[in-house]
Amino acid sequence: MSHEPLAPERYDHLTVDDHLDLRAVADTEAGVLYDLVDSNRQYLAEYLPWATGNAPADSLDFIQRTRQHRIDGSEYGFGIYVDEVLVGHISLMHITEGQQPEIGYWVSGDSSGAGNTTKAAVRVAEFGLSTLGLESIVIKAAEGNIASNKIAHKLGFVFSGVEESDNGTIINVWRKNKES
């Protein structure tokens, strides 16, 4: 399904509940984003290879690329904010690239296990399936990433197989169809 390019502010904020918001990360928050990744580098790098080598300038570049993808309608990335504090990031990716639309997410070690990632993923899945009208969405989680696999299962995604990542990691693929 192809999506019309959007005004930059369209779909830049999704409310989850009184304490949890998903919103586009502002350029002015690049330092905060970098510090969050830097202070969680070892924790994140276990499953996210990009976390091992990013530099401060990469955070601003990421924010700007994410904004351009939103304008293009190819991806919707959101900072995960708990009580106005940035604790992670979630994206609905690969919307117009001829690939399967996918939800990807990460949160700081301190925020893990609090249920916020699950709530954020529920909201982004609803956004993709209902608002954007996608037919299906996948979540890919490393076989050993118990928390991410649990999130996919809790959200009603169905295990659909495995694939090997570029670095040789076995990845579980979970799928949710519009009618699921």
Side-chain angles (χ1 to χ4, degrees):
M1 170 176 243
S2 179
H3 296 278
E4 295 292 318
L6 302 172
E9 68 281 357
R10 186 147 180 218
Y11 303 133
D12 65 354
H13 181 254
L14 302 175
T15 299
V16 178
D17 62 30
D18 290 342
H19 299 282
L20 182 62
D21 277 308
L22 308 177
R23 66 177 185 262
V25 181
D27 289 358
T28 56
E29 295 176 289
V32 173
L33 181 62
Y34 175 77
D35 290 345
L36 183 63
V37 171
D38 192 47
S39 64
N40 287 275
R41 192 169 304 285
Q42 186 174 2
Y43 170 75
L44 295 173
E46 183 175 359
Y47 299 113
L48 301 169
W50 60 262
T52 60
N54 77 322
D58 295 329
S59 292
L60 180 58
D61 183 55
F62 171 77
I63 291 166
Q64 291 172 343
R65 271 194 335 269
T66 300
R67 181 173 46 250
Q68 186 57 52
H69 290 311
R70 180 182 314 281
I71 292 166
D72 297 343
S74 62
E75 180 176 318
Y76 297 90
F78 304 94
I80 301 172
Y81 293 83
V82 176
D83 294 324
E84 301 298 319
V85 175
L86 181 64
V87 300
H89 197 271
I90 187 165
S91 295
L92 179 57
M93 311 171 282
H94 311 305
I95 296 172
T96 60
E97 300 167 8
Q99 298 181 44
Q100 177 66 52
E102 176 184 348
I103 295 173
Y105 44 80
W106 61 267
V107 294
S108 67
D110 292 347
S111 298
S112 182
N116 293 317
T117 310
T118 300
K119 290 179 195 175
V122 165
R123 184 65 182 94
V124 170
E126 288 172 353
F127 169 69
L129 295 170
S130 297
T131 305
L132 298 180
L134 300 174
E135 293 300 317
S136 65
I137 298 174
V138 298
I139 292 176
K140 296 180 180 181
E143 191 174 49
N145 189 337
I146 304 302
S148 283
N149 282 287
K150 280 185 178 178
I151 288 171
H153 186 259
K154 278 190 223 176
L155 268 60
F157 282 64
V158 176
F159 179 77
S160 64
V162 297
E163 61 184 47
E164 190 173 329
S165 72
D166 293 340
N167 67 1
T169 303
I170 300 300
I171 304 293
N172 291 332
V173 180
W174 298 83
R175 180 177 316 281
K176 184 173 184 100
N177 295 325
K178 195 175 208 170
E179 63 275 356
S180 298

